[in-house]
Amino acid sequence: MVIDNAEQIHELEGFKSTSIPPSLSLPMAEKLIILYDIPSTFETQQAWSYNTWKARLVLNYKGIPYRTEWVTYPDIEQTFRKVDLPPLKMMPNGKPLYTCPAIIDYIADPIFGKRVAESTKIAHYLDETYASEQHGPTLFPKGTEAAQNEFINEIDPESGSGLKSHVFILVVALSVGVLDARGAEYINREREKRLGRPVADVGREGSLERKEAWDGVKRCLDKIAATYDKNKEGQGQFFTGKAITYADIYLISFFLWLRYLPSDRDGPDVKSGWDIVKTLNEGRWQKLVDKFEKYLEVK
């Protein structure tokens, strides 16, 4: 069973519509996968969201043709409803929650498109659907799925005590700064409801909260390093074996989250949180990210 990390995963099976299928309006060259992502205001690199990076890395690693459809936060629900993408979950107030990533696969289903939402669900779908030698090794080698799920649950547990929770404190306010005006206003409003305080107040420079978050990141990475060291076959370079698996992609997504969000909260010599992380554990995380550089293309 795939761990959904507290997100209720939905997949629209056998989609049928009485309207003209969306793919019929696409040119033949566009019979590919559409990846829905949240844009930044960066001129050369719009991708920043760790959740969507998981899906993007899988697509790039497996060499599957795709293009990105950029959707600012307040437009996600309207856009997803328009193209029949499912919500991730129903919230306590009974309303559906729509968020990125999601994909529509017009390669596997050129007429109607195959719709899948949530990063881990997307990874499984792509790995199973594009399993030929042309698309590289599987991300879920036989006998490793349980261990990968356990690892993912350790760094991103429902309890909120893992690596994700510490990185969130470090970057949540920074993420607002890279969004367009409508997206920033939306996320400030919605996150303040959830957090009970202004987003700008989370993880302020010099605060005890930020120090504790960095201490938590370092503890988590020490533990993760010990886990990687158990992979004798791959000499600790990957989570398991001698090649990239989904567990590696899941971890890398947090590093990219830190890397692509400029920080003005960690001192004058720190451009982003990645500047700190890449020096930890004898620089092993920089070496791991180096193995992913060729998969960081944004299409």
Side-chain angles (χ1 to χ4, degrees):
M1 177 176 291
V2 179
I3 293 176
D4 65 8
N5 302 299
E7 292 179 326
Q8 181 179 342
I9 300 171
H10 297 263
E11 181 177 358
L12 192 59
E13 299 282 2
F15 172 75
K16 295 294 181 289
S17 173
T18 56
S19 61
I20 297 175
S23 67
L24 295 186
S25 64
L26 297 173
M28 288 302 293
E30 287 254 305
K31 296 303 188 286
L32 39 64
I33 289 176
I34 299 176
L35 170 66
Y36 290 83
D37 196 356
I38 302 160
S40 71
T41 55
F42 301 142
E43 291 183 6
T44 59
Q45 161 62 290
Q46 284 189 289
W48 63 275
S49 167
Y50 84 98
N51 266 324
T52 310
W53 263 115
K54 296 171 202 168
R56 188 181 300 280
L57 285 170
V58 174
L59 286 163
N60 288 340
Y61 178 70
K62 298 187 76 66
I64 304 168
Y66 76 96
R67 70 171 175 84
T68 304
E69 188 75 18
W70 300 102
V71 188
T72 190
Y73 270 111
D75 294 340
I76 291 175
E77 179 171 351
Q78 177 184 355
T79 300
F80 279 26
R81 286 182 181 275
K82 184 177 180 180
V83 296
D84 295 293
L85 277 164
L88 285 181
K89 65 180 180 180
M90 300 304 294
M91 296 184 288
N93 61 8
K95 294 182 179 180
L97 174 64
Y98 292 86
T99 192
C100 297
I103 63 169
I104 304 179
D105 184 355
Y106 289 118
I107 303 172
D109 187 345
I111 303 300
F112 296 101
K114 179 74 172 178
R115 287 148 171 76
V116 189
E118 200 272 336
S119 54
T120 297
K121 187 68 172 179
I122 291 170
H124 274 277
Y125 166 77
L126 294 174
D127 200 59
E128 294 166 5
T129 305
Y130 299 93
S132 66
E133 291 184 8
Q134 172 189 353
H135 297 296
T138 176
L139 292 169
F140 301 94
K142 186 177 180 180
T144 70
E145 189 167 340
Q148 289 198 62
N149 284 342
E150 182 179 357
F151 174 75
I152 288 169
N153 202 32
E154 285 179 0
I155 63 176
D156 188 6
E158 293 185 19
S159 65
S161 59
L163 179 65
K164 176 186 173 180
S165 64
H166 301 306
V167 175
F168 178 84
I169 294 295
L170 297 173
V171 304
V172 62
L174 305 179
S175 66
V176 176
V178 306
L179 299 174
D180 60 78
R182 292 179 61 239
E185 188 280 330
Y186 176 89
I187 207 66
N188 266 324
R189 182 180 69 249
E190 296 303 314
R191 288 267 169 83
E192 183 171 342
K193 290 178 186 176
R194 194 179 86 185
L195 298 169
R197 55 175 167 157
V199 175
D201 288 347
V202 180
R204 284 192 176 277
E205 182 177 9
S207 67
L208 177 61
E209 181 181 42
R210 194 167 193 84
K211 178 184 180 303
E212 290 178 341
W214 273 119
D215 288 344
V217 166
K218 292 170 185 177
R219 285 195 306 272
C220 288
L221 290 179
D222 286 345
K223 186 175 181 181
I224 292 169
T227 298
Y228 270 60
D229 284 340
K230 293 177 183 178
N231 177 17
K232 303 302 182 183
E233 179 187 4
Q235 298 181 322
Q237 296 183 71
F238 303 104
F239 173 74
T240 185
K242 298 180 179 179
I244 291 169
T245 62
Y246 185 60
D248 299 304
I249 286 175
Y250 208 100
L251 176 60
I252 286 290
S253 72
F254 292 108
F255 295 158
L256 297 180
W257 205 14
L258 287 161
R259 173 173 166 173
Y260 290 125
L261 292 176
S263 175
D264 58 0
R265 297 186 172 205
D266 295 299
D269 298 325
V270 176
K271 294 181 180 179
S272 73
W274 175 241
D275 287 345
I276 296 173
V277 170
K278 69 183 181 182
T279 66
L280 302 177
N281 303 104
E282 292 76 45
R284 72 183 304 161
W285 310 124
Q286 178 67 70
K287 294 175 184 177
L288 182 60
V289 168
D290 287 345
K291 294 178 173 60
F292 279 82
E293 287 295 337
K294 60 183 175 182
Y295 305 120
L296 299 184
E297 184 178 6
V298 177
K299 301 178 183 179

